[in-house]
Amino acid sequence: MHYKFGEPAGRYLGPGGGYHVYSGSISEAAPQGYGDIHVHKMAAGEFNFQYGPSTGGLMESVGISLTTPGELINSVGVDPYFKARELKLKGQGIETALLMVERINGFHAASNSLAFLMAVEDALGIETSEEVQKARILQLELERIRSNLEVMKRMCEPAGFGVPTNQLGYLREKVSRIISSASGHRFFFGVNAPGYASIAYSGINEKLNVARQEFERIFYALLESKIFLNRLQNNGVTKDQFLSGPAARASGLRYDSRLDSGLLPYGDTPFFPAVREEKDCFGRFSVRGEEILNSIDIIASLGNLRETDRHVSKAGDGEGCARLESPQGDIFYYVKIRDGKLEDIWHVSPGVLNVRAFQESMKGNIFTDFHFNWESFGIWISEIGVVIR
Amino acid sequence: MSNFWFGEGLRKGRKTEKFPLAPPEEPPLWPSYLDGNAEPYCPTEAIKEGMWDPGRCIFCRLCEPQYKPTGKQGIFQVRKTQPLLKKSFYIYKLDSGACGACNVELGTIFDPQYDANRLNIFMTNTPRHADAIVVMGVQTERMKEALKNAYEAMPEPKLIISLGACAISGGIIGKSPMEREQYHVEIAGCPPSPYTILEALSRARGV
């Protein structure tokens, strides 16, 4: 296993499997300051406003409790376990487990399934070809483009900004169709296996270049819209250091698994982490926009890819883990395999850190800020509210 | 700047496809109707004794090459329609325990390529204004009450629609939130494609 159990080393990725995972180690020790969450005491005139778990304004079922004297939000509690699903993964073979892992977060299925498969490959000592590694970068970057478009679209929606909302939705669907024609499935289900990726590269660049021109026009116009920027600037300012993905990079932190995981050859691509200092919704919006453009450049640099032969799953024993940069942030999987079956498996979702940061960032804001801030973190509840058995 | 967006809206022109009056422009292969007749391994037993049950199928491709996707959309079953809702059909989505893919695909039918609003289909934020509840995902303990409350809050006439393999049969993840016979409309897929969702919702109105 390329990861080591021991003392905390590197930046904090989050809790999982009863441990605390860092960029350089798996430890039993939580980082300093992680448990210091201010507990709000209800003051006179305040009341609790329950939003969710099921309401039209939320993409997924999640319980949100807001403490307020009327307009100002003094405290926020997020309960991501309303729709907690139990996944029976332990004891399963790799093939069946993969079907479930793909469905931990369907919208980020490539990130989840590839992190899982790379952990399996680490455990079983399976080598992957350069073609497969490039095919994996292609999937991850296509998924990032689509996911960031979805977040940006959902940030335009509460502003009642109909034209950009629909145009970003149009582009998001265009990317879904590119994914579908390249891989056969709109969410990369059934595309990957140990040492294998089934994705056709032909024509992707041309389609993405057309989408890029359309996106740049919308993105730069939105960055000049004072009405829109007023809703984002100074909304949801994060002071936390425990952040992941675009939320971290929008707070001046150069956190990105593509930089320091070393599992995929991002060094051969024009990848650069988009980092901004604003720490607010505007920073998170800008980072996502810049990442879309960079992801298109990364894909263009991959060259033509050939489909690889299907790898026959290797039975055996071992322990492995892998860390990738999903559109939400660092995603980590740990597996322990005995006789080709999963003896243990757990994962770390970037959403755990970002939910925590969202709660802190919402204090002192008002109700109309809520949706912009919630959407700007791009949190997927399905990935957090899951119990692996 | 407001003029810019007005012009931008016009500049792009009409992007909405003619579906369901015309065939889908870019249908996905997975999910689509499967063609085959052997007895391959199926992790959800969607293929049993030579019969394919789309409501159990997660379109995982493990049945290839014995079964092949045809690209044909419209994998749904309508048991009851409600023609009263032909001119205005408001749906309320309820995520009982979904992975997020069904949630996204349901939202996609309101994007410009599909524009469900032109077919008088709208999303509502509360079950009190809903004509149909669209259930997504597997059964989860704490969402049972939310589903029951949402259903009871809806005025008559009302329809119950299951979206995706998890809601219909539990798929590969767990148990479905309702008995299969209770659903008036079953929309198959993992997740169902926007084409299939749009056509199924349209047909539920008796159109």
Side-chain angles (χ1 to χ4, degrees):
Chain A
M1 186 168 81
H2 79 276
Y3 243 76
K4 297 281 171 255
F5 285 89
E7 292 300 309
R11 63 193 164 84
Y12 186 54
L13 307 184
Y19 294 96
H20 291 275
V21 180
Y22 297 81
S23 56
S25 68
I26 301 170
S27 175
E28 287 181 352
Q32 274 193 343
Y34 183 67
D36 303 344
I37 294 177
H38 172 71
V39 179
H40 181 77
K41 276 191 181 170
M42 290 270 278
E46 283 185 343
F47 62 94
N48 265 328
F49 177 79
Q50 187 66 29
Y51 186 53
S54 181
T55 174
L58 296 167
M59 179 59 109
E60 297 180 276
S61 293
V62 53
I64 296 171
S65 171
L66 303 150
T67 307
T68 175
E71 192 177 14
L72 194 70
I73 295 171
N74 288 335
S75 169
V76 179
V78 176
D79 180 355
Y81 296 101
F82 260 96
K83 63 160 191 172
R85 296 170 297 156
E86 280 193 16
L87 265 62
K88 296 185 183 78
L89 284 167
K90 291 177 190 169
Q92 301 281 6
I94 306 303
E95 198 173 62
T96 309
L98 178 61
L99 296 176
M100 293 192 205
V101 169
E102 283 172 342
R103 287 155 180 85
I104 284 180
N105 177 357
F107 198 53
H108 294 166
S111 304
N112 277 274
S113 57
L114 290 176
F116 167 70
L117 284 173
M118 288 163 85
V120 168
E121 288 162 3
D122 183 32
L124 300 179
I126 298 171
E127 296 289 328
T128 52
S129 66
E130 193 188 333
E131 288 290 313
V132 169
Q133 290 181 355
K134 281 185 173 180
R136 288 177 173 176
I137 291 180
L138 174 62
Q139 291 179 52
L140 291 169
E141 296 312 311
L142 281 171
E143 189 167 86
R144 194 177 326 280
I145 295 170
R146 177 170 62 181
S147 184
N148 285 354
L149 283 169
E150 172 68 16
V151 171
M152 292 172 81
K153 174 199 156 186
R154 288 191 345 223
M155 287 178 78
C156 291
E157 221 170 279
F161 229 169
V163 174
T165 303
N166 281 302
Q167 292 191 348
L168 289 169
Y170 173 77
L171 287 178
R172 199 272 324 264
E173 172 60 8
K174 248 182 153 175
V175 177
S176 288
R177 291 179 181 193
I178 291 172
I179 293 170
S180 173
S181 66
S183 73
H185 195 284
R186 290 163 60 87
F187 293 84
F188 296 110
F189 290 178
V191 173
N192 296 296
Y196 169 81
S198 164
I199 186 157
Y201 191 73
S202 166
I204 291 181
N205 263 331
E206 293 73 17
K207 289 176 189 166
L208 280 180
N209 278 333
V210 174
R212 180 198 188 106
Q213 286 168 15
E214 290 181 46
F215 173 72
E216 279 179 331
R217 204 174 154 86
I218 302 165
F219 180 48
Y220 295 131
L222 281 170
L223 292 183
E224 283 178 21
S225 168
K226 285 183 185 156
I227 298 171
F228 184 59
L229 295 189
N230 277 343
R231 314 301 301 270
L232 307 185
Q233 285 171 332
N234 297 317
N235 179 356
V237 178
T238 53
K239 295 172 188 123
D240 211 338
Q241 53 161 323
F242 301 113
L243 286 160
S244 194
R249 294 190 285 279
S251 296
L253 302 166
R254 264 173 73 91
Y255 292 175
D256 196 315
S257 277
R258 290 175 290 179
L259 273 177
D260 54 17
S261 161
L263 290 178
L264 290 170
Y266 274 100
D268 303 339
T269 71
F271 159 68
F272 71 90
V275 179
R276 295 189 70 99
E277 301 291 337
E278 286 90 351
K279 304 183 180 186
D280 57 6
C281 289
F282 172 68
R284 294 188 279 277
F285 181 83
S286 304
V287 163
R288 287 182 192 276
E290 287 169 25
E291 282 188 357
I292 288 173
L293 299 172
N294 187 225
S295 293
I296 294 172
D297 291 338
I298 293 171
I299 291 169
S301 74
L302 294 174
N304 280 321
L305 299 172
R306 290 189 315 273
E307 196 170 311
T308 53
D309 293 332
R310 184 170 278 270
H311 186 95
V312 179
S313 294
K314 193 171 154 186
D317 300 345
E319 205 179 6
C321 37
R323 170 164 63 92
L324 291 178
E325 186 69 17
S326 83
Q328 282 192 94
D330 306 280
I331 191 159
F332 179 92
Y333 270 82
Y334 165 88
V335 297
K336 191 172 183 183
I337 302 169
R338 190 175 292 274
D339 297 330
K341 300 217 184 282
L342 287 173
E343 191 176 276
D344 195 11
I345 171 171
W346 48 267
H347 82 303
V348 176
S349 167
V352 175
L353 294 190
N354 289 339
V355 161
R356 185 182 183 278
F358 164 76
Q359 291 177 155
E360 290 300 302
S361 73
M362 203 59 226
K363 287 177 193 170
N365 286 39
I366 56 172
F367 272 88
T368 45
D369 293 333
F370 177 86
H371 275 285
F372 295 99
N373 195 20
W374 173 251
E375 300 300 356
S376 74
F377 279 89
I379 293 162
W380 280 89
I381 296 301
S382 55
E383 209 174 275
I384 309 170
V386 64
V387 182
I388 294 176
R389 299 258 188 246
Chain B
M1 189 43 86
S2 57
N3 287 342
F4 170 83
W5 290 112
F6 178 71
E8 193 67 4
L10 292 177
R11 193 181 66 83
K12 284 276 166 69
R14 186 189 162 100
K15 295 290 182 190
T16 307
E17 297 172 12
K18 292 204 167 65
F19 184 83
L21 291 175
E25 286 187 17
E26 291 180 77
L29 265 186
W30 300 92
S32 67
Y33 271 95
L34 298 186
D35 189 22
N37 54 13
E39 198 74 26
Y41 165 68
C42 176
T44 58
E45 298 187 337
I47 300 171
K48 214 174 175 183
E49 293 162 7
M51 298 289 286
W52 173 57
D53 179 356
R56 298 189 80 87
C57 186
I58 58 165
F59 300 86
C60 63
R61 313 186 193 195
L62 293 181
C63 58
E64 276 190 309
Q66 292 100 318
Y67 277 74
K68 284 200 156 77
T70 59
K72 189 174 169 249
Q73 302 296 295
I75 323 167
F76 62 86
Q77 198 183 344
V78 178
R79 297 200 184 97
K80 183 186 169 189
T81 62
Q82 194 46 265
L84 260 181
L85 307 171
K86 202 179 280 184
K87 290 188 176 170
S88 163
F89 188 46
Y90 277 81
I91 57 168
Y92 178 75
K93 63 178 169 67
L94 192 132
D95 172 2
S96 167
C99 71
C102 284
N103 313 43
V104 171
E105 292 298 57
L106 181 62
T108 300
I109 66 167
F110 298 96
D111 282 341
Q113 286 93 335
Y114 306 95
D115 187 17
N117 293 160
R118 81 198 143 101
L119 302 174
N120 302 325
I121 299 167
F122 306 93
M123 196 90 92
T124 176
N125 286 343
T126 164
R128 291 198 190 279
H129 299 161
D131 302 310
I133 186 165
V134 179
V135 183
M136 302 175 287
V138 292
Q139 185 186 71
T140 52
E141 203 47 45
R142 290 175 72 193
M143 286 306 292
K144 276 184 195 170
E145 197 186 342
L147 174 58
K148 184 172 166 280
N149 289 347
Y151 178 72
E152 285 172 0
M154 284 165 61
E156 295 283 354
K158 54 189 172 187
L159 293 174
I160 316 171
I161 299 170
S162 56
L163 185 77
C166 291
I168 299 171
S169 63
I172 187 102
I173 300 291
K175 198 169 168 265
S176 60
M178 295 175 82
E179 292 301 321
R180 216 165 153 175
E181 301 71 37
Q182 290 177 282
Y183 295 118
H184 300 127
V185 180
E186 270 185 23
I187 310 177
C190 188
S193 79
Y195 288 118
T196 292
I197 300 171
L198 193 61
E199 193 181 352
L201 293 180
S202 188
R203 291 274 287 280
R205 302 174 302 144
V207 176

